Amino acid sequence: MRKVTSIHADCVAAIAGWITGGVYPPGTTLPIEPALCSELGVSRTVVREAVKTLVAKGLLTTGPRVGTRVQPKSSWNLYDPDVIDWRFAAGVDEDLLRDVIDLRLTFEPAACEFAARRASAEDLARIELAYADMAAAVDGHGRYFAADIDFHTSILAAAHNQFFAALSPLITAILKVSIRLSVRNRDGAAASLPLHRAVADRIAARDPEGARLAMQRLILGAREDIDRGGPVDPAFIVIAGVGR
Amino acid sequence: MRKVTSIHADCVAAIAGWITGGVYPPGTTLPIEPALCSELGVSRTVVREAVKTLVAKGLLTTGPRVGTRVQPKSSWNLYDPDVIDWRFAAGVDEDLLRDVIDLRLTFEPAACEFAARRASAEDLARIELAYADMAAAVDGHGRYFAADIDFHTSILAAAHNQFFAALSPLITAILKVSIRLSVRNRDGAAASLPLHRAVADRIAARDPEGARLAMQRLILGAREDIDRGGPVDPAFIVIAGVGR
DNA sequence: TAGATCGTATCATACGATCATTAATATGAG
DNA sequence: CTCATATTAATGATCGTATGATACGATCTA
């Protein structure tokens, strides 16, 4: 019925999918514009604007006579929400998983420290609400994990630092992966609930160091959760429908 | 002589400058396309592609009948190297400075931990080279600070984590600000040199905790450096020519 | 008068053709 | 064999037009 996606957005998503999906890996050159037009069934204007979008995100570079080249991953805007979605949608390899977990262990405990110092009454209420939603849905998986994402996002917001808040899309993406994986051990939710409780308690108690440690334990728990499942199978994650 | 910038890039920079410079603050609407064309002296196509670039970075949204609106800062891709440059070029307010320093205190000590565990021989050599350049140029400010930036960037690379490496542009931008500010106290270079030495030593000694603490001291030293100058004067920073 | 419906003007969106610019490659002279 | 020059294939940039979506105001109804 209604058209939620514009032609431009479709075009961007298609090319991005080719890149993250390995059809055109870093270092390769995309077909020339006329070929892309016929391939995608759109005008040259749309292709050009889509390419400009991907250049802006660091996935491509262009130049006369050199064509449209796929940049190495080191040039990509790894914190860009769209880039994050495209990468996770293409499957999560071990390197990406390790890097994201390292990152979580670095800044989520730190965010808890800041939150314990700076959280407003509204911030604490939002965290508490997210926790309540989790507790109320320990058996209904969908709602539980939506609340889980909200819990972590609320803490990032409570740190009152724009750069921490901007990490929410990355956390959301990795949590969605963890969610699909932890479908295996059904009691994962009930087990992690008290860990979340401890985090919320330490923040509300204005205990930065305690909050930091509580979050550290929570994330390490999640890591064991994933490790228990053995090596991550990218195919499984793709099937699980990470992303949209 | 040389035309290093394309019309597209100029156009993007101009509009971005209007946004970060407060000409069109978040919430406002840009003039309609024809007006932008005559204002910038370029065709509609260029304006459209430039707008697409800024939409990709989260600074703008577009829609029929609504025009081209400037998004709130919370929607911007704060880790995008271009966005970072534009913001710092427009002047650094106290909030931005505080947030970046918080971020440095979170990430850089952690990066040192990882570097102490994972650095290859080449990584260590690069860090050592950067330090040698610093030591060799304690009086020549330009070269000293270029080496300083290289020192911190090398450590981020040595952490062997794509997300840490991607923070280099942000660290570079804030270091450039620190550099301009510490012109005041001429002996700042000589004072910070041993702090850098300690960081390099602890990483080379494979001492994660020691490296973490050494970096923490280094950054806190830099903070005192800025604090000594009293409240940060945005005008001064703009004059100092942060960015290109 | 209040409210919902419907037109309409106003934008962005998309298309196609055309010319300019750039840089990798080939060609030629020395 | 080396270096300067011409070729050429790709993006860069412009113009004109047609289409589509939507916020706003006018109109109609209760």
Side-chain angles (χ1 to χ4, degrees):
Chain A
M1 54 187 286
R2 80 256 168 254
K3 187 175 71 123
V4 295
T5 58
S6 66
I7 295 181
H8 170 80
D10 288 344
C11 195
V12 170
I15 299 176
W18 292 343
I19 296 171
T20 58
V23 181
Y24 296 105
T28 60
T29 303
L30 259 55
I32 62 174
E33 284 179 356
L36 285 175
C37 292
S38 55
E39 175 72 25
L40 294 165
V42 298
S43 73
R44 191 170 164 231
T45 305
V46 173
V47 169
R48 284 185 54 79
E49 290 178 352
V51 168
K52 281 283 185 294
T53 294
L54 293 170
V55 168
K57 295 178 184 301
L59 273 68
L60 296 174
T61 53
T62 61
R65 182 68 192 180
V66 299
T68 304
R69 276 220 177 75
V70 180
Q71 289 281 91
K73 273 208 265 283
S74 58
S75 297
W76 298 5
N77 290 171
L78 301 186
Y79 295 95
D80 184 295
D82 292 327
V83 175
I84 292 168
D85 282 346
W86 296 329
R87 292 189 70 188
F88 277 77
V92 180
D93 55 53
E94 273 184 41
D95 283 348
L96 178 57
L97 193 62
R98 194 205 62 168
D99 287 353
V100 173
I101 291 176
D102 283 351
L103 201 66
R104 289 193 65 189
L105 279 169
T106 299
F107 68 75
E108 287 206 86
C112 284
E113 273 193 69
F114 290 123
R117 292 201 188 89
R118 303 173 182 165
S120 67
E122 297 81 45
D123 293 327
L124 295 177
R126 189 178 156 197
I127 294 170
E128 215 46 60
L129 177 63
Y131 175 81
D133 285 347
M134 290 178 70
V138 275
D139 29 11
H141 273 90
R143 283 171 50 221
Y144 179 85
F145 290 119
D148 191 4
I149 290 171
D150 207 44
F151 183 85
H152 289 269
T153 301
S154 302
I155 291 173
L156 289 177
H160 286 275
N161 181 306
Q162 55 188 311
F163 295 100
F164 280 71
L167 292 169
S168 293
L170 186 56
I171 299 298
T172 298
I174 189 64
L175 282 178
K176 281 181 180 168
V177 173
S178 306
I179 286 163
R180 308 298 174 166
L181 289 175
S182 52
V183 171
R184 304 176 190 178
N185 48 328
R186 203 61 55 90
D187 51 9
S192 71
L193 198 57
L195 295 173
H196 286 82
R197 181 66 264 165
V199 171
D201 279 343
R202 289 302 88 204
I203 291 174
R206 305 293 180 184
D207 173 12
E209 188 59 18
R212 200 183 68 78
L213 290 172
M215 177 57 86
Q216 200 170 25
R217 272 192 290 270
L218 172 56
I219 297 171
L220 287 173
R223 174 143 77 171
E224 284 166 16
D225 206 54
I226 291 175
D227 287 349
R228 255 201 302 278
V232 179
D233 179 2
F236 172 77
I237 295 170
V238 174
I239 292 168
V242 178
R244 69 213 66 275
Chain B
M1 52 189 261
R2 161 96 289 104
K3 190 179 77 124
V4 294
T5 57
S6 67
I7 295 181
H8 171 78
D10 289 344
C11 193
V12 171
I15 298 176
W18 292 344
I19 295 171
T20 59
V23 180
Y24 296 104
T28 60
T29 303
L30 259 55
I32 62 175
E33 282 180 359
L36 285 176
C37 294
S38 55
E39 176 73 22
L40 293 165
V42 298
S43 73
R44 268 187 60 228
T45 306
V46 172
V47 169
R48 284 186 55 78
E49 290 178 351
V51 167
K52 279 283 185 296
T53 295
L54 293 170
V55 168
K57 295 177 184 300
L59 273 66
L60 297 175
T61 53
T62 61
R65 185 67 193 176
V66 299
T68 305
R69 280 234 250 282
V70 180
Q71 289 281 91
K73 273 209 265 282
S74 58
S75 297
W76 299 5
N77 290 172
L78 301 186
Y79 294 97
D80 183 296
D82 292 327
V83 175
I84 292 168
D85 283 347
W86 296 329
R87 293 189 69 188
F88 277 78
V92 180
D93 56 54
E94 273 183 41
D95 283 349
L96 178 57
L97 194 62
R98 194 205 62 169
D99 286 354
V100 173
I101 292 176
D102 282 351
L103 200 67
R104 288 193 68 189
L105 279 169
T106 301
F107 274 99
E108 292 206 83
C112 284
E113 273 193 69
F114 290 123
R117 292 202 188 89
R118 303 172 181 166
S120 67
E122 298 80 46
D123 293 328
L124 295 177
R126 188 178 156 198
I127 294 170
E128 215 44 63
L129 177 63
Y131 175 81
D133 286 346
M134 290 178 69
V138 274
D139 28 12
H141 273 92
R143 282 171 52 219
Y144 179 85
F145 290 119
D148 191 4
I149 290 172
D150 207 44
F151 183 84
H152 289 269
T153 300
S154 301
I155 291 173
L156 289 178
H160 287 276
N161 181 306
Q162 53 188 313
F163 294 100
F164 280 72
L167 292 170
S168 293
L170 186 57
I171 301 297
T172 299
I174 190 63
L175 282 179
K176 281 181 180 168
V177 173
S178 306
I179 286 163
R180 309 297 174 167
L181 289 175
S182 52
V183 170
R184 305 177 190 179
N185 49 328
R186 203 59 55 90
D187 50 9
S192 72
L193 198 58
L195 295 173
H196 285 82
R197 181 66 263 164
V199 171
D201 280 343
R202 289 302 87 202
I203 292 174
R206 305 294 180 183
D207 173 12
E209 188 58 19
R212 200 183 67 78
L213 290 172
M215 177 57 86
Q216 200 171 25
R217 271 192 292 272
L218 173 55
I219 298 172
L220 287 174
R223 175 146 76 170
E224 284 166 16
D225 207 54
I226 291 174
D227 287 348
R228 255 201 301 280
V232 179
D233 178 2
F236 172 77
I237 295 171
V238 174
I239 293 170
V242 176
R244 61 214 66 277

